[in-house]
């Protein structure tokens, strides 16, 4: 069973709808016992970094998530804000600690030329890691809505997009994955990412 972590900051309706379209069973939960027994975890997210981390802490989920993915090796996929929360800290409206599951920091996208912040719309993925189940993302367009982006070492990059700066679009640290874009809003390639995560990563 895949569990979508419920912490009042996720685009859960559309994510659940996407998995149902694929015929993949998921549950929306904030119960530690269910999270720990999951075959895979989804951490969606929209909104601001600080309040999202505060809600995870209030619900007692920070330690649960870390134990699930670090000790029990349960695969996790963070989406949009959920991906940003995987990093060590963010400068969004102050300095906030993240989950620290991937080394790196989150900062504001710099405005350059005609490129406005937030980045809203489709952008082309450039593959950075050939040995991955997600190599099919090369040259594919996915849908972004965000003002902040992760800065991390290239070893964690699956794909990036160009938006005046190189923005990590999909990242991985062992069993921990993240997409800055919204796969549930990215058409066929987005659905393929969710299917690949659930069928190849989770079941390995």
């Amino acid at each position: 069973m895949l569990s979508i972590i419920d912490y009042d900051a996720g685009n859960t309706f559309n994510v659940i709808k996407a998995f149902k379209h694929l015929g993949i069973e998921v549950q929306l939960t904030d119960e530690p016992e269910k999270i720990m027994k999951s075959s895979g975890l989804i951490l969606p997210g929209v909104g601001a970094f600080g309040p999202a981390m505060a809600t995870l802490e209030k619900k007692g989920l920070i330690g649960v998530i870390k134990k699930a993915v670090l000790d029990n090796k349960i695969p996790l996929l963070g989406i949009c804000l959920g991906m940003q929360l995987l990093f060590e800290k963010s400068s969004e409206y102050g300095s906030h600690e993240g989950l620290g599951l991937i080394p790196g920091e989150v900062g504001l996208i710099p405005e350059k030329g005609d490129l406005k912040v937030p980045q809203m719309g489709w952008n082309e993925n450039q593959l950075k890691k050939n040995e991955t189940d997600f190599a099919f993302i090369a040259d594919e367009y996915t849908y972004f809505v965000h003002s902040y982006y992760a800065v991390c070492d290239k070893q964690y990059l699956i794909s990036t997009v160009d938006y005046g700066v190189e923005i990590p679009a999909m990242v991985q640290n062992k069993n921990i994955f993240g997409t800055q874009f919204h796969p549930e809003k990215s058409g066929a390639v987005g659905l393929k990412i969710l299917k690949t995560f659930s069928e190849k990563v989770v079941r390995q």
Side-chain angles (χ1 to χ4, degrees):
M1 172 71 74
L2 288 176
S3 289
I4 297 174
I5 298 172
D6 184 10
Y7 67 113
D8 306 321
N11 182 27
T12 55
F13 176 80
N14 286 333
V15 175
I16 292 171
K17 185 178 178 181
F19 277 109
K20 284 187 175 180
H21 177 78
L22 292 167
I24 297 169
E25 188 177 2
V26 296
Q27 63 181 353
L28 178 65
T29 184
D30 61 1
E31 298 179 32
E33 185 176 352
K34 288 184 178 180
I35 291 172
M36 295 302 297
K37 290 182 178 180
S38 300
S39 57
L41 300 172
I42 310 295
L43 183 66
V46 292
F49 192 103
M53 284 299 298
T55 302
L56 286 174
E57 183 175 13
K58 183 179 179 180
K59 284 177 171 277
L61 293 176
I62 293 177
V64 174
I65 293 170
K66 289 183 177 181
K67 182 175 177 61
V69 301
L70 296 177
D71 295 344
N72 292 13
K73 307 301 181 185
I74 299 174
L76 180 149
L77 174 63
I79 296 174
C80 196
L81 174 62
M83 170 184 141
Q84 295 180 5
L85 298 179
L86 302 178
F87 290 90
E88 294 169 302
K89 63 181 179 179
S90 172
S91 60
E92 184 176 8
Y93 303 116
S95 181
H96 306 280
E97 288 189 9
L99 293 170
L101 299 174
I102 302 178
E105 301 181 9
V106 175
L108 183 64
I109 300 172
E111 289 196 19
K112 290 191 175 182
D114 296 330
L115 299 175
K116 302 300 181 183
V117 178
Q119 176 183 197
M120 296 181 65
W122 300 81
N123 205 337
E124 184 179 12
N125 285 262
Q126 302 300 317
L127 188 65
K128 299 297 180 177
K129 180 182 293 186
N130 292 317
E131 295 182 6
T132 172
D133 290 325
F134 300 94
F136 60 82
I137 201 173
D139 304 324
E140 294 282 0
Y141 283 80
T142 50
Y143 188 79
F144 294 80
V145 182
H146 66 119
S147 297
Y148 288 77
Y149 75 112
V151 178
C152 64
D153 191 85
K154 63 182 181 180
Q155 67 179 298
Y156 304 113
L157 300 176
I158 292 178
S159 70
T160 63
V161 296
D162 181 9
Y163 198 72
V165 292
E166 185 179 62
I167 292 180
M170 190 167 188
V171 296
Q172 177 188 3
N173 183 19
K174 298 178 181 178
N175 58 314
I176 301 158
F177 297 80
T179 63
Q180 181 60 70
F181 55 85
H182 286 273
E184 76 280 6
K185 296 182 179 179
S186 296
V189 68
L191 291 175
K192 189 173 182 180
I193 286 167
L194 297 180
K195 184 175 182 180
T196 301
F197 176 77
S198 63
E199 293 187 351
K200 290 191 176 181
V201 175
V202 169
R203 297 179 185 177
Q204 284 179 353

